Coordinates of all heavy atoms in Angstrom, one line a residue:
M1072 N -121.2 -48.7 -125.5 CA -122.1 -47.7 -125.0 C -121.6 -47.1 -123.7 O -121.3 -47.9 -122.8 CB -123.5 -48.5 -124.7 CG -124.5 -47.5 -124.2 SD -126.1 -48.4 -123.9 CE -126.0 -48.8 -122.2
K1073 N -121.4 -45.8 -123.7 CA -120.9 -45.2 -122.5 C -122.1 -44.9 -121.5 O -123.0 -44.2 -121.9 CB -120.2 -43.9 -122.9 CG -119.5 -43.2 -121.8 CD -118.2 -43.9 -121.4 CE -117.5 -43.1 -120.3 NZ -116.4 -43.9 -119.7
V1074 N -121.9 -45.4 -120.3 CA -123.0 -45.2 -119.3 C -122.4 -44.4 -118.2 O -121.3 -44.6 -117.8 CB -123.5 -46.6 -118.8 CG1 -124.3 -46.4 -117.5 CG2 -124.2 -47.4 -119.8
F1075 N -123.2 -43.4 -117.7 CA -122.7 -42.5 -116.7 C -123.4 -42.8 -115.3 O -122.9 -42.4 -114.3 CB -123.0 -41.1 -117.1 CG -122.2 -40.7 -118.3 CD1 -122.8 -40.7 -119.5 CD2 -120.8 -40.4 -118.2 CE1 -122.1 -40.3 -120.7 CE2 -120.1 -40.1 -119.3 CZ -120.7 -40.0 -120.6
K1076 N -124.5 -43.5 -115.4 CA -125.2 -43.7 -114.1 C -126.1 -44.9 -114.3 O -126.7 -45.1 -115.4 CB -126.0 -42.4 -113.8 CG -126.4 -42.3 -112.3 CD -127.0 -41.0 -112.0 CE -127.5 -40.9 -110.6 NZ -128.1 -39.6 -110.3
L1077 N -126.3 -45.6 -113.2 CA -127.3 -46.7 -113.2 C -128.4 -46.4 -112.1 O -128.1 -45.8 -111.1 CB -126.6 -48.0 -112.8 CG -125.5 -48.5 -113.7 CD1 -124.7 -49.7 -113.0 CD2 -126.1 -49.0 -115.0
W1078 N -129.6 -46.8 -112.4 CA -130.6 -46.6 -111.4 C -131.2 -48.0 -111.0 O -131.1 -48.9 -111.8 CB -131.8 -45.7 -111.9 CG -132.5 -46.0 -113.2 CD1 -132.2 -45.5 -114.4 CD2 -133.5 -47.0 -113.3 NE1 -133.1 -46.0 -115.3 CE2 -133.9 -47.0 -114.7 CE3 -134.2 -47.9 -112.5 CZ2 -134.8 -47.8 -115.3 CZ3 -135.2 -48.7 -113.0 CH2 -135.5 -48.6 -114.4
L1079 N -131.7 -48.1 -109.8 CA -132.2 -49.3 -109.2 C -133.6 -49.1 -108.7 O -133.8 -48.0 -108.1 CB -131.3 -49.8 -108.1 CG -129.8 -49.9 -108.4 CD1 -129.0 -50.2 -107.1 CD2 -129.6 -51.0 -109.4
D1080 N -134.5 -50.0 -108.9 CA -135.8 -49.9 -108.4 C -136.2 -51.2 -107.6 O -136.7 -52.1 -108.1 CB -136.8 -49.7 -109.5 CG -138.2 -49.4 -109.0 OD1 -138.5 -49.6 -107.8 OD2 -139.1 -49.1 -109.9
P1081 N -135.9 -51.2 -106.3 CA -136.2 -52.3 -105.4 C -137.6 -52.8 -105.5 O -137.9 -54.0 -105.2 CB -135.8 -51.9 -104.0 CG -134.9 -50.7 -104.2 CD -135.4 -50.0 -105.5
K1082 N -138.6 -51.9 -105.8 CA -140.0 -52.3 -105.8 C -140.3 -53.3 -106.9 O -141.2 -54.1 -106.9 CB -140.9 -51.0 -105.9 CG -140.9 -50.2 -104.7 CD -141.9 -49.1 -104.7 CE -141.7 -48.0 -105.8 NZ -140.4 -47.3 -105.6
K1083 N -139.5 -53.2 -108.0 CA -139.7 -54.1 -109.1 C -138.9 -55.4 -109.0 O -139.1 -56.3 -109.8 CB -139.4 -53.4 -110.5 CG -140.3 -52.3 -110.8 CD -140.0 -51.7 -112.2 CE -141.0 -50.6 -112.6 NZ -140.5 -50.0 -113.8
C1084 N -137.9 -55.4 -108.2 CA -136.9 -56.5 -108.1 C -137.6 -57.7 -107.5 O -138.3 -57.7 -106.5 CB -135.7 -56.1 -107.2 SG -134.6 -57.4 -107.0
K1085 N -137.4 -58.9 -108.1 CA -137.9 -60.2 -107.7 C -136.9 -61.0 -106.9 O -137.2 -62.2 -106.6 CB -138.5 -61.0 -108.8 CG -139.5 -60.2 -109.7 CD -140.8 -59.9 -108.9 CE -141.8 -59.2 -109.7 NZ -142.8 -58.5 -108.9
G1086 N -135.7 -60.6 -106.8 CA -134.6 -61.3 -106.1 C -134.1 -62.5 -106.9 O -133.6 -63.5 -106.2
C1087 N -134.2 -62.5 -108.2 CA -133.8 -63.7 -109.0 C -132.2 -63.8 -109.0 O -131.7 -64.9 -109.3 CB -134.3 -63.6 -110.4 SG -133.6 -62.3 -111.4
L1088 N -131.5 -62.8 -108.8 CA -130.0 -62.7 -108.8 C -129.4 -62.9 -110.1 O -128.2 -63.2 -110.2 CB -129.5 -63.7 -107.7 CG -130.0 -63.6 -106.3 CD1 -129.3 -64.5 -105.4 CD2 -129.8 -62.1 -105.8
R1089 N -130.1 -62.8 -111.2 CA -129.5 -62.9 -112.5 C -128.5 -61.8 -112.7 O -127.5 -61.9 -113.4 CB -130.6 -62.8 -113.6 CG -131.4 -64.0 -113.8 CD -132.7 -63.7 -114.6 NE -132.4 -63.3 -115.9 CZ -132.7 -63.9 -117.0 NH1 -133.3 -65.1 -116.9 NH2 -132.4 -63.4 -118.2
C1090 N -128.8 -60.6 -112.1 CA -127.9 -59.5 -112.2 C -126.5 -59.8 -111.6 O -125.5 -59.4 -112.2 CB -128.4 -58.2 -111.5 SG -129.0 -58.5 -109.8
E1091 N -126.5 -60.5 -110.5 CA -125.2 -60.9 -109.9 C -124.4 -61.8 -110.8 O -123.2 -61.7 -111.0 CB -125.4 -61.5 -108.5 CG -126.0 -60.5 -107.5 CD -125.9 -61.1 -106.1 OE1 -125.3 -62.2 -105.9 OE2 -126.6 -60.5 -105.2
L1092 N -125.1 -62.8 -111.4 CA -124.5 -63.7 -112.3 C -123.9 -62.9 -113.5 O -122.8 -63.2 -114.0 CB -125.4 -64.8 -112.7 CG -125.8 -65.8 -111.6 CD1 -126.9 -66.7 -112.2 CD2 -124.6 -66.6 -111.1
A1093 N -124.8 -62.1 -114.1 CA -124.4 -61.3 -115.3 C -123.2 -60.4 -115.0 O -122.2 -60.4 -115.8 CB -125.6 -60.4 -115.7
C1094 N -123.1 -59.8 -113.8 CA -122.0 -59.0 -113.5 C -120.7 -59.8 -113.3 O -119.6 -59.4 -113.8 CB -122.2 -58.2 -112.2 SG -120.9 -57.0 -111.8
S1095 N -120.8 -61.0 -112.7 CA -119.7 -61.8 -112.6 C -119.2 -62.3 -113.9 O -118.0 -62.5 -114.1 CB -119.9 -63.0 -111.6 OG -120.8 -64.0 -112.2
F1096 N -120.1 -62.5 -114.9 CA -119.7 -62.9 -116.2 C -118.8 -61.8 -116.9 O -117.8 -62.1 -117.5 CB -121.0 -63.2 -117.1 CG -120.7 -63.8 -118.4 CD1 -120.2 -65.1 -118.5 CD2 -121.0 -63.1 -119.6 CE1 -120.0 -65.6 -119.7 CE2 -120.8 -63.7 -120.8 CZ -120.3 -65.0 -120.9
H1097 N -119.3 -60.6 -116.7 CA -118.5 -59.4 -117.2 C -117.1 -59.4 -116.5 O -116.1 -59.2 -117.1 CB -119.3 -58.1 -116.9 CG -118.5 -56.9 -117.1 ND1 -117.9 -56.5 -118.3 CD2 -118.1 -56.0 -116.1 CE1 -117.2 -55.4 -118.1 NE2 -117.3 -55.0 -116.8
K1098 N -117.2 -59.5 -115.1 CA -115.9 -59.3 -114.4 C -114.9 -60.4 -114.6 O -113.7 -60.3 -114.5 CB -116.2 -59.3 -112.9 CG -116.9 -58.0 -112.4 CD -116.0 -56.9 -112.7 CE -116.5 -55.5 -112.3 NZ -116.6 -55.3 -110.9
S1099 N -115.4 -61.6 -115.0 CA -114.5 -62.7 -115.3 C -114.0 -62.7 -116.8 O -113.4 -63.7 -117.2 CB -115.2 -64.1 -115.0 OG -116.2 -64.3 -115.9
G1100 N -114.3 -61.7 -117.5 CA -114.0 -61.6 -118.9 C -114.7 -62.7 -119.7 O -114.1 -63.3 -120.7
H1101 N -116.0 -62.9 -119.4 CA -116.9 -63.8 -120.1 C -116.4 -65.2 -120.0 O -116.6 -66.0 -120.8 CB -117.0 -63.4 -121.6 CG -117.7 -62.1 -121.8 ND1 -118.1 -61.7 -123.1 CD2 -118.1 -61.2 -121.0 CE1 -118.7 -60.5 -123.0 NE2 -118.7 -60.2 -121.8
K1102 N -115.8 -65.5 -118.8 CA -115.3 -66.9 -118.7 C -116.2 -67.8 -117.7 O -116.3 -68.9 -118.0 CB -113.9 -66.9 -118.1 CG -112.8 -66.3 -119.1 CD -111.4 -66.6 -118.6 CE -110.4 -66.3 -119.6 NZ -110.2 -64.8 -119.7
F1103 N -116.7 -67.2 -116.7 CA -117.5 -68.0 -115.8 C -118.5 -67.1 -115.0 O -118.4 -65.9 -115.0 CB -116.6 -68.8 -114.8 CG -115.6 -68.0 -114.1 CD1 -115.9 -67.3 -113.0 CD2 -114.3 -67.9 -114.6 CE1 -114.9 -66.5 -112.3 CE2 -113.3 -67.2 -114.0 CZ -113.6 -66.5 -112.8
F1104 N -119.3 -67.8 -114.2 CA -120.3 -67.1 -113.3 C -119.8 -67.4 -111.8 O -119.6 -68.5 -111.5 CB -121.7 -67.7 -113.5 CG -122.2 -67.5 -114.9 CD1 -122.2 -68.5 -115.8 CD2 -122.8 -66.3 -115.3 CE1 -122.7 -68.4 -117.1 CE2 -123.3 -66.1 -116.5 CZ -123.3 -67.2 -117.4
N1105 N -119.7 -66.3 -111.1 CA -119.4 -66.5 -109.7 C -119.9 -65.2 -109.0 O -119.2 -64.1 -109.0 CB -117.9 -66.7 -109.4 CG -117.6 -66.8 -108.0 OD1 -118.4 -66.6 -107.1 ND2 -116.3 -67.1 -107.7
P1106 N -121.0 -65.2 -108.3 CA -121.6 -64.0 -107.7 C -120.6 -63.3 -106.7 O -120.8 -62.1 -106.5 CB -122.8 -64.5 -106.9 CG -123.2 -65.8 -107.6 CD -121.9 -66.4 -108.1
E1107 N -119.6 -64.0 -106.2 CA -118.7 -63.3 -105.4 C -117.9 -62.2 -106.1 O -117.3 -61.3 -105.5 CB -117.7 -64.3 -104.8 CG -118.4 -65.2 -103.7 CD -117.4 -66.2 -103.0 OE1 -116.2 -66.0 -103.2 OE2 -117.9 -67.1 -102.4
L1108 N -117.8 -62.3 -107.4 CA -117.1 -61.3 -108.2 C -118.0 -60.1 -108.5 O -117.5 -59.1 -109.1 CB -116.7 -61.9 -109.6 CG -115.5 -62.9 -109.6 CD1 -115.3 -63.3 -111.0 CD2 -114.3 -62.3 -108.9
S1109 N -119.3 -60.2 -108.2 CA -120.2 -59.2 -108.7 C -120.1 -57.8 -108.0 O -119.9 -57.8 -106.8 CB -121.7 -59.7 -108.5 OG -122.6 -58.7 -108.9
S1110 N -120.2 -56.8 -108.7 CA -120.2 -55.4 -108.2 C -121.5 -55.0 -107.6 O -121.7 -54.0 -107.0 CB -119.8 -54.4 -109.2 OG -118.5 -54.7 -109.7
T1111 N -122.5 -55.8 -108.0 CA -123.9 -55.5 -107.5 C -124.4 -56.6 -106.7 O -124.1 -57.8 -107.0 CB -124.8 -55.2 -108.7 OG1 -126.1 -54.7 -108.2 CG2 -125.0 -56.4 -109.6
T1112 N -125.2 -56.3 -105.7 CA -125.7 -57.3 -104.8 C -127.2 -57.0 -104.5 O -127.6 -55.9 -104.5 CB -125.0 -57.4 -103.4 OG1 -125.1 -56.1 -102.8 CG2 -123.6 -57.9 -103.6
V1113 N -127.9 -58.1 -104.4 CA -129.4 -58.0 -104.0 C -129.6 -58.9 -102.8 O -129.2 -60.1 -102.8 CB -130.3 -58.5 -105.2 CG1 -131.7 -58.5 -104.8 CG2 -130.1 -57.5 -106.4
S1114 N -130.2 -58.4 -101.8 CA -130.5 -59.2 -100.6 C -131.9 -58.7 -100.0 O -132.5 -57.8 -100.5 CB -129.4 -59.0 -99.5 OG -129.3 -57.6 -99.2
R1115 N -132.3 -59.4 -99.0 CA -133.6 -59.0 -98.3 C -133.3 -58.7 -96.9 O -132.6 -59.5 -96.2 CB -134.6 -60.2 -98.5 CG -136.0 -59.8 -98.1 CD -137.0 -60.9 -98.4 NE -137.2 -61.2 -99.8 CZ -138.1 -60.6 -100.5 NH1 -138.8 -59.6 -100.0 NH2 -138.3 -60.9 -101.8
S1116 N -133.8 -57.6 -96.4 CA -133.7 -57.3 -95.0 C -134.4 -58.2 -94.1 O -135.5 -58.6 -94.3 CB -134.3 -55.9 -94.8 OG -134.5 -55.6 -93.4
N1117 N -133.6 -58.7 -93.0 CA -134.2 -59.5 -92.0 C -135.3 -58.8 -91.2 O -136.2 -59.4 -90.7 CB -133.2 -60.1 -91.1 CG -132.3 -61.2 -91.8 OD1 -132.8 -61.9 -92.6 ND2 -131.1 -61.3 -91.3
E1118 N -135.2 -57.5 -91.1 CA -136.1 -56.8 -90.3 C -137.4 -56.5 -90.9 O -138.5 -56.8 -90.4 CB -135.4 -55.4 -89.9 CG -134.3 -55.6 -88.9 CD -133.5 -54.4 -88.7 OE1 -134.0 -53.3 -89.1 OE2 -132.4 -54.5 -88.1
N1119 N -137.4 -55.9 -92.1 CA -138.7 -55.6 -92.7 C -138.9 -56.3 -94.0 O -139.9 -56.1 -94.7 CB -138.7 -54.0 -93.0 CG -137.6 -53.6 -93.9 OD1 -137.0 -54.4 -94.6 ND2 -137.3 -52.3 -93.8
K1120 N -138.0 -57.2 -94.4 CA -138.2 -58.1 -95.6 C -138.1 -57.4 -96.9 O -138.4 -57.9 -98.0 CB -139.5 -58.9 -95.5 CG -139.8 -59.7 -94.2 CD -138.7 -60.7 -94.0 CE -138.9 -61.4 -92.7 NZ -137.6 -62.0 -92.2
K1121 N -137.7 -56.1 -96.9 CA -137.6 -55.3 -98.1 C -136.3 -55.7 -98.9 O -135.3 -56.1 -98.2 CB -137.6 -53.8 -97.8 CG -139.0 -53.3 -97.4 CD -139.0 -51.8 -97.4 CE -140.4 -51.3 -97.1 NZ -140.5 -49.9 -96.8
I1122 N -136.4 -55.6 -100.2 CA -135.3 -55.9 -101.1 C -134.2 -54.8 -100.9 O -134.6 -53.6 -100.9 CB -135.7 -56.0 -102.5 CG1 -136.5 -57.3 -102.7 CG2 -134.5 -56.0 -103.5 CD1 -135.8 -58.5 -103.1
I1123 N -133.0 -55.1 -100.8 CA -131.9 -54.2 -100.7 C -131.0 -54.4 -101.9 O -130.4 -55.5 -102.1 CB -131.1 -54.3 -99.4 CG1 -132.0 -54.2 -98.2 CG2 -129.9 -53.4 -99.4 CD1 -131.3 -54.8 -97.0
M1124 N -130.8 -53.4 -102.8 CA -130.0 -53.5 -104.0 C -128.8 -52.5 -103.8 O -129.0 -51.4 -103.4 CB -130.8 -53.1 -105.2 CG -132.1 -53.9 -105.4 SD -133.2 -53.2 -106.7 CE -132.3 -53.6 -108.2
K1125 N -127.6 -53.0 -104.2 CA -126.4 -52.2 -104.0 C -125.5 -52.3 -105.2 O -125.5 -53.4 -105.9 CB -125.6 -52.6 -102.8 CG -126.3 -52.3 -101.5 CD -125.5 -52.7 -100.3 CE -126.2 -52.4 -99.0 NZ -125.4 -53.0 -97.9
I1126 N -124.8 -51.3 -105.5 CA -123.7 -51.4 -106.5 C -122.5 -50.7 -105.8 O -122.5 -49.6 -105.3 CB -124.0 -50.6 -107.8 CG1 -125.3 -51.2 -108.5 CG2 -122.8 -50.6 -108.8 CD1 -125.7 -50.4 -109.7
D1127 N -121.4 -51.5 -105.8 CA -120.2 -50.9 -105.1 C -119.3 -50.2 -106.1 O -119.5 -50.2 -107.3 CB -119.5 -52.0 -104.3 CG -118.8 -53.1 -105.1 OD1 -118.4 -52.8 -106.3 OD2 -118.7 -54.2 -104.6
D1128 N -118.2 -49.7 -105.6 CA -117.3 -48.9 -106.4 C -116.4 -49.7 -107.3 O -115.5 -49.1 -108.0 CB -116.5 -47.8 -105.6 CG -115.6 -48.5 -104.6 OD1 -115.5 -49.7 -104.6 OD2 -115.1 -47.8 -103.7
T1129 N -116.5 -51.0 -107.4 CA -115.8 -51.8 -108.4 C -116.5 -51.9 -109.7 O -116.0 -52.4 -110.7 CB -115.5 -53.2 -107.9 OG1 -116.8 -53.9 -107.7 CG2 -114.8 -53.2 -106.5
C1130 N -117.7 -51.3 -109.7 CA -118.5 -51.3 -111.0 C -117.8 -50.4 -112.0 O -117.4 -49.2 -111.7 CB -119.9 -50.7 -110.8 SG -120.8 -50.4 -112.3
D1131 N -117.6 -50.9 -113.2 CA -116.9 -50.1 -114.3 C -118.0 -49.7 -115.3 O -117.6 -49.3 -116.5 CB -115.7 -50.8 -114.9 CG -116.2 -52.1 -115.6 OD1 -117.4 -52.4 -115.6 OD2 -115.3 -52.8 -116.1
F1132 N -119.2 -49.8 -115.0 CA -120.3 -49.5 -115.9 C -120.3 -50.3 -117.2 O -120.8 -49.9 -118.2 CB -120.4 -48.0 -116.3 CG -120.6 -47.1 -115.0 CD1 -119.5 -46.5 -114.4 CD2 -121.9 -46.9 -114.5 CE1 -119.7 -45.8 -113.3 CE2 -122.1 -46.2 -113.4 CZ -121.0 -45.6 -112.8
C1133 N -119.7 -51.5 -117.0 CA -119.6 -52.5 -118.2 C -119.0 -51.9 -119.4 O -119.5 -52.0 -120.5 CB -120.9 -53.1 -118.5 SG -121.3 -54.5 -117.5
E1134 N -117.9 -51.2 -119.2 CA -117.1 -50.7 -120.4 C -116.8 -51.9 -121.3 O -116.5 -53.0 -120.8 CB -115.8 -50.1 -119.9 CG -115.9 -48.7 -119.4 CD -114.6 -48.1 -119.1 OE1 -113.6 -48.8 -119.1 OE2 -114.6 -46.9 -118.8
N1135 N -116.8 -51.7 -122.5 CA -116.5 -52.7 -123.5 C -117.7 -53.7 -123.8 O -117.5 -54.7 -124.5 CB -115.2 -53.5 -123.2 CG -114.1 -52.5 -123.0 OD1 -114.0 -51.5 -123.7 ND2 -113.2 -52.8 -122.1
E1136 N -118.8 -53.5 -123.1 CA -119.9 -54.4 -123.4 C -120.9 -53.5 -124.2 O -120.8 -52.3 -124.2 CB -120.7 -54.8 -122.1 CG -119.8 -55.5 -121.1 CD -119.6 -57.0 -121.4 OE1 -120.0 -57.5 -122.4 OE2 -118.9 -57.6 -120.5
D1137 N -121.8 -54.2 -124.9 CA -122.8 -53.4 -125.7 C -123.8 -52.7 -124.8 O -124.5 -51.8 -125.2 CB -123.4 -54.2 -126.8 CG -124.2 -55.4 -126.3 OD1 -124.2 -55.6 -125.0 OD2 -124.9 -56.0 -127.1
A1138 N -124.0 -53.2 -123.5 CA -124.9 -52.6 -122.5 C -124.5 -53.1 -121.2 O -123.8 -54.2 -121.1 CB -126.3 -53.0 -122.9
P1139 N -124.8 -52.4 -120.1 CA -124.5 -53.0 -118.8 C -125.2 -54.3 -118.6 O -126.4 -54.4 -118.7 CB -125.0 -51.9 -117.8 CG -125.1 -50.7 -118.6 CD -125.4 -51.1 -120.0
L1140 N -124.5 -55.3 -118.3 CA -125.0 -56.7 -118.3 C -126.1 -56.9 -117.2 O -127.1 -57.6 -117.4 CB -124.0 -57.8 -118.2 CG -123.0 -57.8 -119.3 CD1 -122.1 -59.1 -119.3 CD2 -123.6 -57.7 -120.7
C1141 N -125.9 -56.2 -116.1 CA -126.9 -56.3 -115.0 C -128.2 -55.8 -115.4 O -129.3 -56.2 -115.0 CB -126.4 -55.7 -113.7 SG -126.1 -53.9 -113.8
V1142 N -128.2 -54.7 -116.2 CA -129.4 -54.1 -116.8 C -130.0 -55.0 -117.9 O -131.2 -55.3 -117.9 CB -129.2 -52.7 -117.3 CG1 -130.4 -52.1 -118.0 CG2 -128.7 -51.8 -116.2
K1143 N -129.1 -55.4 -118.8 CA -129.6 -56.2 -119.9 C -130.3 -57.5 -119.5 O -131.3 -57.9 -120.1 CB -128.3 -56.6 -120.8 CG -128.6 -57.3 -122.1 CD -127.3 -57.5 -122.8 CE -127.5 -58.2 -124.1 NZ -126.2 -58.4 -124.8
Y1144 N -129.8 -58.1 -118.5 CA -130.4 -59.4 -118.1 C -131.4 -59.4 -116.9 O -131.8 -60.4 -116.4 CB -129.2 -60.4 -117.8 CG -128.5 -60.8 -119.1 CD1 -127.3 -60.3 -119.4 CD2 -129.1 -61.6 -120.0 CE1 -126.6 -60.5 -120.5 CE2 -128.5 -61.9 -121.2 CZ -127.3 -61.3 -121.5 OH -126.6 -61.6 -122.7
C1145 N -131.7 -58.2 -116.5 CA -132.8 -58.1 -115.5 C -134.1 -58.0 -116.3 O -134.4 -57.0 -116.9 CB -132.7 -56.8 -114.7 SG -134.1 -56.6 -113.5
V1146 N -134.9 -59.1 -116.3 CA -136.1 -59.2 -117.1 C -137.3 -58.5 -116.4 O -138.4 -58.5 -116.9 CB -136.4 -60.6 -117.4 CG1 -135.3 -61.3 -118.3 CG2 -136.7 -61.5 -116.2
F1147 N -137.1 -58.0 -115.2 CA -138.2 -57.4 -114.4 C -138.2 -55.9 -114.5 O -138.9 -55.2 -113.8 CB -138.2 -57.9 -113.0 CG -138.4 -59.4 -112.9 CD1 -137.4 -60.3 -112.7 CD2 -139.7 -59.9 -113.1 CE1 -137.6 -61.7 -112.6 CE2 -139.9 -61.3 -113.1 CZ -138.8 -62.2 -112.8
G1148 N -137.2 -55.3 -115.2 CA -137.1 -53.8 -115.3 C -136.8 -53.1 -114.0 O -137.2 -52.0 -113.8
A1149 N -136.0 -53.8 -113.1 CA -135.7 -53.2 -111.9 C -134.4 -52.4 -111.9 O -133.9 -51.9 -110.9 CB -135.5 -54.3 -110.8
R1150 N -133.8 -52.3 -113.1 CA -132.5 -51.6 -113.3 C -132.5 -50.9 -114.6 O -133.2 -51.3 -115.6 CB -131.3 -52.5 -113.3 CG -131.1 -53.4 -112.1 CD -130.1 -54.5 -112.4 NE -129.8 -55.1 -111.1 CZ -128.8 -54.7 -110.3 NH1 -127.9 -53.8 -110.7 NH2 -128.6 -55.3 -109.2
G1151 N -131.8 -49.8 -114.7 CA -131.7 -49.1 -115.9 C -130.4 -48.3 -116.0 O -129.7 -48.2 -114.9
A1152 N -130.0 -47.8 -117.2 CA -128.8 -47.1 -117.4 C -129.1 -45.7 -117.9 O -130.1 -45.6 -118.7 CB -127.9 -47.8 -118.3
I1153 N -128.4 -44.7 -117.5 CA -128.5 -43.4 -118.0 C -127.3 -43.1 -118.8 O -126.2 -43.2 -118.3 CB -128.7 -42.4 -116.9 CG1 -130.0 -42.7 -116.1 CG2 -128.7 -40.9 -117.4 CD1 -130.2 -41.9 -114.8
K1154 N -127.4 -42.7 -120.1 CA -126.3 -42.5 -120.9 C -125.9 -41.1 -120.9 O -126.7 -40.2 -120.7 CB -126.6 -42.9 -122.4 CG -126.8 -44.4 -122.5 CD -127.1 -44.8 -124.0 CE -128.5 -45.5 -124.0 NZ -128.9 -45.7 -125.3
Ligands
LIG172 S1 -131.9 -59.4 -112.1 FE1 -133.4 -57.7 -111.6 S2 -135.1 -58.8 -110.6 FE2 -133.4 -60.2 -110.6 S3 -132.4 -59.8 -108.6 FE3 -131.3 -58.5 -110.1 S4 -132.4 -56.5 -110.0 FE4 -133.7 -58.0 -109.0
LIG173 S1 -122.8 -52.1 -114.9 FE1 -121.6 -54.0 -115.2 S2 -119.9 -53.9 -113.7 FE2 -121.5 -52.5 -113.0 S3 -122.8 -53.6 -111.6 FE3 -123.7 -53.8 -113.7 S4 -122.9 -55.7 -114.6 FE4 -121.6 -55.1 -112.8

């Protein structure tokens, strides 16, 4: 599935970090989980406690997967893909 853009909705995010694990699974060639490998991060602001979601430029939109794994495994609907 060719993806051109990802969207993020911090208001729906629960901070479970499954997306970071899923991304690291993709980045490791389906070998292991390590959030340090993730192209996407989720954190909470110390100032206003709001969720901060980011995707850096190492994201390859999960080429060769049937869907972007960070989207697929976010069960709260806080991410999506635009084809
Ligand atoms: S998987 Fe979804 S709800 Fe969980 S931290 Fe990532 S974006 Fe937020
Ligand atoms: S689309 Fe794939 S590579 Fe990009 S942030 Fe999501 S899981 Fe990581």
Side-chain angles (χ1 to χ4, degrees):
M1072 181 178 93
K1073 187 75 178 168
V1074 169
F1075 296 100
K1076 201 171 177 183
L1077 298 169
W1078 56 260
L1079 306 172
D1080 185 349
K1082 289 190 294 299
K1083 290 184 178 173
C1084 177
K1085 305 296 183 196
C1087 68
L1088 304 183
R1089 285 165 62 116
C1090 51
E1091 293 189 10
L1092 292 174
C1094 186
S1095 73
F1096 189 64
H1097 167 65
K1098 289 301 182 69
S1099 69
H1101 293 188
K1102 291 193 174 75
F1103 51 83
F1104 299 99
N1105 179 352
E1107 288 184 13
L1108 288 182
S1109 180
S1110 300
T1111 187
T1112 56
V1113 174
S1114 59
R1115 191 178 289 278
S1116 164
N1117 283 333
E1118 289 170 13
N1119 58 22
K1120 308 301 180 201
K1121 286 189 176 169
I1122 292 270
I1123 302 163
M1124 302 169 74
K1125 293 180 182 173
I1126 298 175
D1127 69 28
D1128 59 10
T1129 64
C1130 170
D1131 63 4
F1132 299 98
C1133 274
E1134 277 187 354
N1135 307 321
E1136 306 281 3
D1137 61 354
L1140 297 193
C1141 61
V1142 175
K1143 185 176 178 179
Y1144 291 105
C1145 177
V1146 297
F1147 297 103
R1150 298 167 172 268
I1153 296 168
K1154 294 180 237 172

